[in-house]
Amino acid sequence: TLLNNGKVLLVGGSGSNGSILASAELYDPAAGTFTPTGSMANARALHTASRLNNGLVLFAGGSGSNGSILASAELYDPVAGTFTPTGSMASVRTLHTATRLNNGKVLLAGGSGSDGSALASADLYDPTAGTFGPTGSMAIARTFHTATLLNGGMVLLAGGFTSASGAALASAERY
């Protein structure tokens, strides 16, 4: 995630031995160096990262260290170099999309649930309140899809799959 100061934040993911990581690093493109920063409370991979208007970064969902799918979320403060928990999504989800909307809220859509099936549900994260709330569902459940903020504020959700091992989708819809 590109931070306001020009550094890049890399967080979580899978380690070389397949373990799920909670660690984070900052890449300084001017110096060409990586340095450690704070760690997440929950190790996670296949999560989303969204820079908010206030400069904080929201990390939501993903796969946890014990193979579980997460509903939890954390905020990274680049000034303090720390992570703090924030609200949880209504549903566990991984392989979803997160799109910062023009009003500053973040749309988290689709992905895979704990049984591996694609989700049609979506949540909105309100950074002012620090909470998630449900919003309209997609017409088609999808995972591994894309989400693009369009001029005018709509979000185009396209492609993806019906499940982690399911059929590919050629459809698109707008939020």
Side-chain angles (χ1 to χ4, degrees):
T1 306
L2 180 63
L3 302 177
N4 290 339
N5 64 8
K7 293 182 179 179
V8 179
L9 177 65
L10 299 103
V11 176
S14 297
S16 60
N17 62 357
S19 63
I20 306 299
L21 304 173
S23 60
E25 296 183 43
L26 289 170
Y27 174 69
D28 182 342
T33 58
F34 289 89
T35 56
T37 187
S39 291
M40 292 184 290
N42 294 304
R44 60 183 80 224
L46 306 173
H47 55 280
T48 56
S50 307
R51 187 180 52 157
L52 305 175
N53 289 342
N54 61 10
L56 300 178
V57 182
L58 172 69
F59 293 90
S63 299
S65 59
N66 59 359
S68 64
I69 308 302
L70 304 172
S72 65
E74 301 181 46
L75 292 171
Y76 176 76
D77 180 343
V79 175
T82 57
F83 288 85
T84 56
T86 189
S88 290
M89 295 180 287
S91 301
V92 298
R93 62 180 77 233
T94 188
L95 301 167
H96 55 290
T97 57
T99 309
R100 186 180 66 194
L101 305 176
N102 291 339
N103 64 6
K105 294 181 179 181
V106 179
L107 173 69
L108 296 109
S112 296
S114 56
D115 65 357
S117 64
L119 302 172
S121 63
D123 286 314
L124 274 180
Y125 178 73
D126 181 344
T128 304
T131 58
F132 290 87
T135 189
S137 291
M138 294 184 289
I140 298 174
R142 55 184 80 228
T143 188
F144 289 112
H145 57 288
T146 64
T148 305
L149 182 64
L150 304 173
N151 292 338
M154 291 182 140
V155 177
L156 177 69
L157 300 128
F161 293 87
T162 57
S163 70
S165 59
L169 297 168
S171 63
E173 53 191 293
R174 292 181 294 189
Y175 171 81

